[in-house]
Amino acid sequence: MKANKVIAGIVIAFVLLASSPFMLRLIRPRVNDVKTGATPEYPDIQRQRFSQPFDKVFEAATNAAQAMGWEMRETDRGQGIIEAIATTELLKFLKSKDDVTVTVTREGDATVVNVRSKSHMGKGDLGTNARRIRAFQAELAKRL
């Protein structure tokens, strides 16, 4: 009787383990490249529009990226581009380096900010890039 319960437990554990990728896909989309306004899996992540001048928004975006601990690769005010590397700690010993690009442009009287976050590892990021963009947008809005 006890052996039957152990075998049943092992079978249930195996089924749950085998089906976990399918269940995770239902919870989180399987993407590793998220762009504002261009990723159907995250329709809530849209570009930000500000009424402040370009220079003020660009400076605030640069400061927000630095405050988030991103490693700045390139900052080009003339092109309105901020390129950075964000490090995600997956486990204590495993870290993932992800590319982040922030683009600041003028659109009439408004200044528009677009963000792209792309992982290098795997086919899915478990929502990391989307969370990163949302956190950056909140930090930027707070600074403006």
Side-chain angles (χ1 to χ4, degrees), residues 35-83:
K35 300 174 193 172
T36 51
T39 307
E41 293 86 353
Y42 296 105
D44 63 308
I45 298 180
Q46 297 295 319
R47 61 192 192 152
Q48 290 177 293
R49 296 177 62 87
F50 298 98
S51 59
Q52 287 90 344
F54 174 87
D55 289 331
K56 183 175 182 179
V57 174
F58 189 85
E59 188 68 31
T62 303
N63 292 337
Q66 290 171 338
M68 294 186 67
W70 297 351
E71 175 188 330
M72 305 301 279
R73 283 188 13 206
E74 180 184 349
T75 305
D76 186 342
R77 185 181 298 270
Q79 296 292 318
I81 296 174
I82 301 166
E83 290 185 357

Side-chain angles (χ1 to χ4, degrees), residues 78-133:
Q79 296 292 318
I81 296 174
I82 301 166
E83 290 185 357
I85 297 175
T87 302
T88 303
E89 190 171 302
L90 303 172
L91 300 169
K92 294 271 185 202
F93 58 89
L94 182 61
K95 295 181 182 184
S96 170
K97 302 268 186 183
D98 303 333
D99 293 331
V100 182
T101 304
V102 179
T103 308
V104 182
T105 56
R106 295 176 182 95
E107 236 179 59
D109 292 340
T111 304
V112 178
V113 179
N114 282 292
V115 185
R116 176 185 185 207
S117 183
K118 182 180 185 326
S119 299
H120 291 263
M121 293 176 54
K123 293 181 181 177
D125 64 3
L126 299 177
T128 299
N129 289 308
R131 282 191 301 277
R132 179 180 296 123
I133 291 174

